[in-house]
Amino acid sequence: MKNSIMTIMKKEFTRFFTDRRMVLTTVVMPGLMIYLLYTFMGSGLASQFETAEDYTANVYAVNLPESMKEARKDRALLEFTEISQEEAEKAQEELKSSDAEFDLLAVFPEDFDSQVAAYDVASGGAAPAVKIYYNSTDSDSQSSYSMMTELLDTYESALANKFDVNPGEEAYDLATEEGVSAQIFSMMVPMLLMVFLFSGCMAVAPESIAGEKERGTIATLLVTPMKRSHLAIGKIISLSVIAILSGLSSFLGMMLSLPKMMGDVDGVNASVYKMTDYLLVLLVVLSTVLVIITIVSIISAFARNVKEATGWVTPVMIISMLLGVTSMVDSLCMTEPVWFLIPLYNSVQSMNGIFSMDASVVNIAVTVAANVCYAGIGVFVLARMFDNEKVMFSK
């Protein structure tokens, strides 16, 4: 048994690792492309909403009150230009374009200061209204709107400052670095990792089984005296190793680029996890790959060629992606051990528990045991399929 399984594994490893293009596209490129993609995405999204440090917002104002002129003295980044009501209508049209010469249009009611002074909150009447027009597709206009609303909020608070909320520079957000990292990683990593693992399995399994059926080389293996179960085990183990290499490449690229993709959010740090956490993740990943490879191998054995196998595997990959999304929804995150008998869902929830620093050893053990059992059942099914000539030699 050992020799026949090792022979199949050696054959698969030789086929894969001697093909430089396959190694490049399956192991090297996924991690590199994910790192570059996520890094550029983070930089692009950050620059989309950033403005220069010395940027000054140009605000067109109608009926600009004296109170605003005084208030803006502490806001050097706001520059007001007074215009008439007639010019305001033209300014609204101009602001619809991203190349407008100004960033914001603020329309104050006439005698704004007098109306504010005379307004009684207890009366229940309509308060003086300030209309602020901006273009959210323009990052400068969006930033100007934020600065203007902050100025008005500060002015409104100053009119009747009965008490302060969170005064001074004391830190009031008590979330720890571990908590912030756990929240972000537990939501994103399980789903992305499932996608990477499935992509790695799809890259090697269809070619190994459906590809050999298509080329006719599977017949040479089937006429040898080895047991079909040995052939199935050898295929699944070797393909799992290759798929794990691809998945780890993608995982490494994701972990290195995630802080950049998140815009360098304060507190996001993968170093908050211990070696035991990564070992638990690795254990879950290994068992998950066995299940995925088994599923893809069975589908590939049914298919007549690689193209057909890829088409049939795609819906299963979509299902795994949907299961990955459950890590983002608290109501779909179950903690009872019975739920960890569900293949793929159990892997997502186990990884979610590990990255959220709330892992249950019992649930992880159930997940790994269940995945190994499912892989064993899959090996049995695949071996029976290898014995069926109608399946293996279908045209």
Side-chain angles (χ1 to χ4, degrees), residues 45-57 77 103 138-147:
L45 290 174
S47 63
Q48 181 70 23
F49 299 101
E50 286 181 353
T51 54
E53 294 182 359
D54 58 349
Y55 169 74
T56 300
L77 298 180
D103 304 306
D138 188 334
S139 59
D140 289 341
S141 183
Q142 179 72 52
S143 299
S144 302
Y145 175 77
S146 299
M147 289 188 287

Side-chain angles (χ1 to χ4, degrees), residues 18-197:
T18 54
D19 190 335
R20 294 181 180 179
R21 290 179 295 180
M22 185 173 291
V23 173
L24 179 65
T25 57
T26 305
V27 178
V28 179
M29 291 300 293
L32 180 62
M33 294 303 297
I34 288 171
Y35 175 78
L36 294 175
L37 176 63
Y38 283 7
T39 299
F40 284 127
M41 281 177 58
S43 302
L45 290 174
S47 63
Q48 181 70 23
F49 299 101
E50 286 181 353
T51 54
E53 294 182 359
D54 58 349
Y55 169 74
T56 300
N58 187 8
V59 181
Y60 278 12
V62 178
N63 301 322
L64 183 66
E66 291 296 325
S67 57
M68 288 295 102
K69 295 179 182 179
E70 293 295 325
R72 74 154 296 276
K73 289 181 179 179
D74 297 329
R75 306 293 177 118
L77 298 180
L78 285 171
E79 185 66 39
F80 289 106
T81 301
E82 298 187 57
I83 62 173
S84 64
Q85 185 65 51
E86 291 74 19
E87 293 174 316
E89 296 180 2
K90 181 180 179 182
Q92 288 187 43
E93 292 297 322
E94 186 178 349
L95 195 58
K96 294 179 180 179
S97 172
S98 58
D99 58 354
E101 296 181 354
F102 61 101
D103 304 306
L104 203 70
L105 172 62
V107 180
F108 294 86
E110 295 184 9
D111 301 325
F112 174 74
D113 290 337
S114 300
Q115 292 186 36
V116 169
Y119 179 69
D120 183 8
V121 178
S123 66
V130 180
K131 300 178 181 180
I132 304 176
Y133 300 93
Y134 69 106
N135 188 337
S136 61
T137 61
D138 188 334
S139 59
D140 289 341
S141 183
Q142 179 72 52
S143 299
S144 302
Y145 175 77
S146 299
M147 289 188 287
M148 186 65 185
T149 53
E150 182 181 353
L151 174 63
L152 292 172
D153 288 340
T154 302
Y155 173 68
E156 182 183 21
S157 299
L159 294 176
N161 190 15
K162 300 291 184 180
F163 63 91
D164 293 325
V165 178
N166 289 353
E169 298 181 358
E170 181 181 349
Y172 295 96
D173 186 356
L174 302 181
T176 62
E177 183 180 68
E178 290 80 2
V180 174
S181 300
Q183 181 186 38
I184 294 177
F185 283 117
S186 64
M187 291 178 62
M188 299 187 63
V189 174
M191 181 192 69
L192 294 175
L193 197 52
M194 289 296 292
V195 173
F196 299 153
L197 292 177

Side-chain angles (χ1 to χ4, degrees), residues 248-298:
L248 289 178
S249 171
S250 302
F251 179 69
L252 182 61
M254 177 194 66
M255 294 297 287
L256 292 175
S257 62
L258 191 57
K260 194 68 176 179
M261 187 180 70
M262 298 301 298
D264 295 322
V265 176
D266 293 336
V268 179
N269 188 358
S271 64
V272 300
Y273 297 105
K274 301 177 181 178
M275 181 58 65
T276 53
D277 295 323
Y278 288 109
L279 290 177
L280 288 175
V281 172
L282 180 61
L283 187 62
V284 174
V285 166
L286 290 175
S287 65
T288 304
V289 169
L290 288 175
V291 174
I292 297 176
I293 278 291
T294 302
I295 294 173
V296 178
S297 297
I298 291 174

